Amino acid sequence: MQACQRCGGQKEFGTRGSRFCTECRRLHGDTVQQLEQERSRRRQQRVLEGKLADGKRIKYRSKDVPDGQKWCARCQEFRPVTSFPLRKEGGKPAAYCKPCQRFYNTERRIKLVFGLTWDEYELLLACQDGKCAICGGRPRRHMLAVDHDHKTGEIRGLLCSRCNHKLLGSANDDPARLRRAADYLEEFAAREVFGDPKYVPGTAPSDREVA
Ligand SMILES: [Zn+2]
Ligand SMILES: [Zn+2]
Ligand SMILES: [Zn+2]
Ligand SMILES: [Zn+2]
């Protein structure tokens, strides 16, 4: 029996070759399906535009290059020469345009550091509805980090950097400590000792009414 790639459980798989257990597939089938539909839609569009034929890249002929433009080998489009980063050696524009280069770097880093393909990263993201698994935030500037157990190396999921480093990091990834912290926020010593709520100066409800 294989382990589910999402929950890690040794459960029923139903469909042969599926990476997710029946339960996970039912729960997350919709998001995963959406993602796959979107991907195939984009692909079909490209085929229609004549940029991909039989999955092979179509080479452009140099006489077709519009003035001041260059072919991006990744997005398969002509783009202004200025949207290409310059090679460190020779100073000529690189093969990929800037957005493609950025995406390529990210993809390569995720693969190198975490061993995840971009498809796998997107699967995780879809399972989490694009949100941090703890605070539910959607960071705009940075992508969600791949959180992993530093002792076993097992990948757990995607977290924003605050939850990853500040929340889990300061608790040393210790579930018991985090549970005690949550309990503490709801039940604390001062209430027990003083009976009535005790406030720091200037914050008591009676003070606020006067102000
Ligand atoms: Zn599962
Ligand atoms: Zn490009
Ligand atoms: Zn978060
Ligand atoms: Zn880490």
Side-chain angles (χ1 to χ4, degrees), residues 18-122:
S18 172
R19 291 184 292 174
F20 303 110
C21 70
T22 319
E23 201 181 321
C24 285
R25 215 169 35 243
R26 187 175 53 73
L27 281 169
H28 296 277
D30 292 347
T31 37
V32 172
Q33 200 188 353
Q34 246 174 14
L35 200 79
E36 272 161 11
Q37 274 171 357
E38 173 64 16
R39 196 174 292 145
S40 84
R41 192 189 61 77
R42 282 202 300 254
R43 201 185 152 73
Q44 270 169 6
Q45 202 179 340
R46 300 210 135 188
V47 173
L48 279 177
E49 286 169 4
K51 283 171 184 161
L52 289 170
D54 305 329
K56 278 185 215 124
R57 295 198 158 165
I58 295 171
K59 293 257 164 65
Y60 69 97
R61 295 194 304 276
S62 59
K63 62 171 185 179
D64 295 335
V65 181
D67 257 2
Q69 303 223 349
K70 184 179 152 56
W71 182 258
C72 171
R74 193 179 169 102
C75 61
Q76 303 274 295
E77 275 186 54
F78 284 112
R79 293 180 166 275
V81 177
T82 47
S83 32
F84 287 81
L86 297 177
R87 290 182 208 272
K88 278 185 193 122
E89 281 168 47
K92 282 190 180 167
Y96 294 168
C97 71
K98 282 172 189 169
C100 283
Q101 186 64 49
R102 262 198 300 277
F103 183 64
Y104 172 75
N105 291 347
T106 305
E107 224 179 23
R108 203 177 41 173
R109 186 176 60 84
I110 295 288
K111 181 72 195 157
L112 239 116
V113 179
F114 303 107
L116 288 179
T117 64
W118 188 250
D119 280 3
E120 287 171 327
Y121 182 89
E122 281 195 319

Side-chain angles (χ1 to χ4, degrees), residues 133-135 147 151 156 159 162-187:
I134 294 178
C135 71
D147 168 52
K151 282 184 218 116
R156 285 186 293 230
L159 296 177
R162 272 165 77 106
C163 290
N164 193 17
H165 293 117
K166 297 211 165 128
L167 190 65
L168 293 191
S170 65
N172 209 13
D173 287 18
D174 179 359
R177 199 198 291 194
L178 288 161
R179 274 190 203 103
R180 282 199 299 275
D183 289 345
Y184 165 81
L185 288 175
E186 289 172 346
E187 232 181 288

